[in-house]
Amino acid sequence: MVQRGNLFILSAPSGAGKSTVIRELLGQEMVPAETLQFSISHTTRQPRRGETDGRDYHFVEKAAFLEMTGRGEFLEWAEVHGNLYGTSQGAVEPFLAQGIDMLLEIDVQGAEQVMSRVEDAFGVFLVPPSYAELKRRLIGRGLDDAAVIARRLAVSAWETKRYVNYDYVIINRDAALAARALAAIILEKRFQRKRCVDEVTAILAEFPQEIPLDDP
Ligand code: ADP
Ligand code: 5GP
C-alpha cells in the first residue's frame, strides 16, 4: 500500500511573500519538484495581470462556485477579502493517494477547516518582518489598486494573530532562507518513523532471520 502524502498549509497576510517563498522553494533542490504538488484553488476573484486560468486559479463565477459548495466538492472554502476561494477535493485527494505531498496556499479560515478535518495536515504561517514592510511589499508588488491594498492591510493584524493555530512559523525576512525553512519542515515530516514502517518492513523481510555466528 502506498503511504499517503502529507498535506501542508501555507498562510500569511496578503503581501507577506507566500508566492515568492514558493517560487524560491521550487528553485531549490531540497524538495524534488515531483514529490510536491501545489493545489490549484477555485476563486470568484478576477484574474490579475499575468495570471492564467487553470494554472494560478480556476477562475469561476459566483453561481458556479456556490453550486460546487452545494455538491460538497470543496475540502474547504471561505470568503477572503470580498471574494470566494476554495480547495476542491479533486485538486488534492488524487495526489495524496499517490503518496505525493501537497501544499495549499490558503487563508486562515480555510486552514482551520483543513487542520480540523485532515489527519497529517501541517500548518505553516509566514509572518512579515513588520507592518511597514508588509505595506511596502503590497504596494511594491504593483498588482492591486489602492482600495484592494487597503482592504488587505485592514485584516492583516486579525489574520496574523491566528498564527497561534499553526504548527510552524517562519518570519519572511529573506525569501531564500524562508524557503529553506519551509523545505526543512516538509522533509522532516517525510522521515517520521510511522511513515517508514512499510518500507523498512519490506527491507527487513529479505534479511535472513537467523545468521549463524560463524557466517561472515
Ligand atoms: P503573497 O503571495 O503572500 O501575497 P508575494 O509573494 O506576492 O506575497 O510578495 C509580495 C511582494 O513582496 C512581492 O513584490 C515580492 O517580490 C516581495 N517579497 C516577498 N518576499 C520578500 C522578501 N523576503 N524580501 C523582500 N521582498 C519580498
Ligand atoms: P490572492 O487573491 O492574493 O491570490 O489570495 C488572497 C487570499 O486568499 C490569500 O490569503 C490566499 O492564501 C487565500 N486563498 C487562496 N486560495 C484559497 C483557497 O482555496 N481557500 C482559502 N480559504 N483561501 C485561499
Side-chain angles (χ1 to χ4, degrees):
M1 201 182 75
V2 180
Q3 175 75 51
R4 276 175 70 79
N6 286 316
L7 199 163
F8 297 93
I9 296 162
L10 184 65
S11 301
S14 184
K18 294 178 294 297
S19 307
T20 306
V21 169
I22 287 175
R23 222 171 16 252
E24 285 280 343
L25 180 74
L26 289 172
Q28 300 180 351
E29 287 171 0
M30 282 173 75
V31 177
E34 67 276 13
T35 64
L36 184 69
Q37 277 285 333
F38 300 87
S39 100
I40 301 172
S41 299
H42 285 70
T43 183
T44 61
R45 157 165 91 59
Q46 290 300 311
R48 290 191 188 117
R49 187 160 29 90
E51 283 184 330
T52 306
D53 185 37
R55 186 192 68 187
D56 299 291
Y57 282 104
H58 300 290
F59 294 99
V60 292
E61 296 296 328
K62 192 169 179 181
F65 191 101
L66 292 176
E67 275 173 29
M68 287 180 73
T69 66
R71 291 195 297 265
E73 289 184 26
F74 287 117
L75 171 64
E76 63 73 33
W77 68 275
E79 180 173 338
V80 190
H81 314 312
N83 294 300
L84 302 177
Y85 293 82
T87 310
S88 70
Q89 303 273 5
V92 172
E93 185 48 38
F95 297 105
L96 292 179
Q98 287 175 59
I100 297 171
D101 286 353
M102 292 293 309
L103 185 63
L104 274 51
E105 189 191 323
I106 61 176
D107 93 306
V108 293
Q109 305 165 82
E112 284 160 28
Q113 295 171 40
V114 175
M115 287 193 275
S116 68
R117 286 178 196 160
V118 179
E119 205 187 328
D120 287 336
F122 305 101
V124 182
F125 199 94
L126 198 64
V127 178
S130 66
Y131 177 75
E133 176 62 14
L134 179 67
K135 193 169 172 182
R136 239 190 323 272
R137 287 183 188 174
L138 258 182
I139 295 170
R141 181 165 71 180
L143 286 180
D144 301 301
D145 65 36
V148 170
I149 290 175
R151 184 167 190 158
R152 291 178 176 225
L153 286 173
V155 294
S156 60
W158 172 82
E159 289 177 318
T160 306
K161 282 181 191 156
R162 313 268 283 256
Y163 83 94
V164 293
N165 297 325
Y166 288 70
D167 302 295
Y168 300 93
V169 173
I170 301 172
I171 300 179
N172 179 22
R173 295 192 174 89
D174 176 284
L177 282 181
R180 293 228 296 265
L182 181 58
I185 292 164
I186 293 169
L187 286 178
E188 189 257 326
K189 292 297 172 207
R190 290 185 183 171
F191 294 96
Q192 285 177 306
R193 188 187 60 225
K194 68 170 188 177
R195 302 187 61 77
C196 305
V197 172
D198 289 350
E199 223 174 329
V200 177
T201 303
I203 293 169
L204 257 180
E206 300 196 344
F207 280 46
Q209 298 307 304
E210 305 236 346
I211 305 171
L213 279 176
D214 57 358
D215 185 0

